[in-house]
Amino acid sequence: MTRLFNDPAAFADEALEGFTAAHRRWVRPVTGGVVRATATPAGQVAVVIGGGSGHYPAFSGLVGRGLAHGAAVGNVFASPSARQIHSVATAAHAGGGVLLMYGNYAGDVLHFGQAAERLAADGVETRTFAVADDISSAGPEESAKRRGIAGDLPVFKAAAAAAEQGLPLEEVLRVAERAGARTRSFGIAFSGCTLPGADHPLFTVPEARMAVGLGIHGEPGIGEEALPTADEAARLLVETLLKELPEDVADPAGQRAAVILNGLGSVKYEELFVVYRRVAALLGDAGVEIVDPEVGELVTSFDMAGISLTLTWLDDRLEELWRAPADTPAYRKGALDAAEPDPDRASATAAARDTAVPAAPVVPAASDASRRAADTVLAALDAVARVVDAHADELGRIDAVAGDGDHGIGMRRGSTAAHRAAADAHGLGAGAGTVLTRAADAWADKAGGTSGALWGTILRSLGAALGDRDAPDAARVADGVAEASAAVRRLGGAEVGDKTMVDVLVPFADALAAATAEDLPLADAWDRAATTATAAAAGTADLLPRRGRARPHAEKSLGTPDAGAHSLALITRAVHGALLDHH
């Protein structure tokens, strides 16, 4: 468990603050994460990586020459928001474009994709690449759906070393694609991990058993087996990975591989070495030449007791990039010439960071009618935060059945931040649209992950519909909810039947539109739609998930509603209460 923390909600920010204070030779803080403290040659591609906290040394510990130019750091086990990624990338950009790299998780895909769009709108040429190396999370025929785990490191390093060589953005991307296509990982765990402030782990493993095929966000394994000896664990890891070779590798004999034996948080280095001795022998027996192996903690999951093995099958070019020097707080290889800090560049990017994340306490002009409507919006957001807080543990338990169990934590962070930002904007005299927009940005920033991106989209769509000029009527609210429904489907790619929040959002939006078309008052129309939402959420218990972290454990989720669908239904009912109070 995590024993040393202050406010659990502040853990990620305080950890990043301490990290930058300890490693000023390598990194400097920017809004949303860190960038190199040393100068980047003009015109060099900036490789910007990122993901949630709780995985150190990924991702901030991998920033430095020879590796990443910057890292966007999200909350615990939650992707950074698009604003955070945009801020870090803007600070890291040296004129050669930006390659955004991250693990293949729905929240990261959404936020990094949004950030890429914003960077492109700024005139910054940007590409994205998701690492998908975990063979347990999907079969070879669906490799694009696999999670990114410890294979992040060799893929990040290949792309970054190519960037250091001065290659243009498209060629750096092609290197990342080549390294990703030749990287496979597989892991086992002996216990789950416990987040700061939590009193129980996200999952448990029975005595004398191990979970096979784990994720790095507290997701349970895809199966269980008897607790192995070190040699048995090594054999399982090696044999599993050797069963799936890259398409252009017919036989492991005579091949070269970068090998990473990764500790997930509480397996000691000596234990890793005991396992690695057998890993090395088994790979040698298979005819594999091991190149610059790494044994240690490289992508962790807080205090999880577990290990993973990664193989990156090398060709001459990938071997050159794998062997290339790097100098970061947590990963060093070879030797680089001394580099001096670049204070001019730090000053030059400060203005860009400030404009990337507006913080000035100024709100657009609003009509009296819109400010009165903002009273109701603020009350509704307060009701949302209270209902989420009351049900956070329940939402976590539902999510843990087949996912990682952090839905309640993330929703609590997001809804609390949204209400706080809305209250600040309301206090400055903002209209309903601005109050919702500020709440949307705060929810996305603090929650991160898939739910942060989607709830930010929902609130932003409502804010755009309500605006700051007029008193919104029921029809306008229904239009805003309909646009939110469409935007969530565009952004997340889910449809009704996939066992996601969309299974509630779509029928809720349709019911609200139908009720307002009958000229029902907003409170009455919302009541009818909320009843529809509650029934739709319950109906997700009979569905198998086709998206998100629950997909690899689809059968486990039968009989349990989707956590995102359930939380949305709870929220629609809570908002109805606020509408009645402000009728």
Side-chain angles (χ1 to χ4, degrees), residues 341-350:
D342 186 357
D344 292 337
R345 185 166 174 267
S347 300
T349 57

Side-chain angles (χ1 to χ4, degrees), residues 246-272:
E247 290 183 1
D248 56 351
V249 176
D251 190 313
Q255 298 293 328
R256 292 161 289 167
V259 178
I260 298 173
L261 183 63
N262 177 61
L264 282 156
S266 63
V267 174
K268 304 305 294 181
Y269 272 68
E270 287 86 349
E271 295 176 272
L272 292 173

Side-chain angles (χ1 to χ4, degrees), residues 267-359:
V267 174
K268 304 305 294 181
Y269 272 68
E270 287 86 349
E271 295 176 272
L272 292 173
F273 291 137
V274 171
V275 175
Y276 183 73
R277 56 176 267 289
R278 189 58 181 157
V279 166
L282 291 167
L283 289 173
D285 292 344
V288 178
E289 179 187 345
I290 298 173
V291 179
D292 283 3
E294 296 286 347
V295 180
E297 293 185 347
L298 294 160
V299 179
T300 61
S301 185
F302 266 113
D303 60 335
M304 183 185 290
I307 58 176
S308 64
L309 181 65
T310 296
L311 301 180
T312 297
W313 298 94
L314 302 173
D315 54 23
D316 290 344
R317 180 69 172 127
L318 290 177
E319 180 174 350
E320 174 194 1
L321 299 171
W322 175 241
R323 290 186 183 275
D327 183 26
T328 78
Y331 184 87
R332 298 167 207 171
K333 176 179 287 190
L336 289 163
D337 294 335
E340 295 297 325
D342 186 357
D344 292 337
R345 185 166 174 267
S347 300
T349 57
R353 292 198 309 277
D354 291 343
T355 57
V357 184

Side-chain angles (χ1 to χ4, degrees), residues 407-442:
H407 183 69
I409 295 171
M411 290 290 290
R412 176 185 277 152
R413 285 195 300 247
S415 60
T416 299
H419 177 247
R420 186 180 301 119
D424 290 344
H426 182 263
L428 294 170
T434 295
V435 167
L436 280 164
T437 300
R438 296 288 173 88
D441 289 341

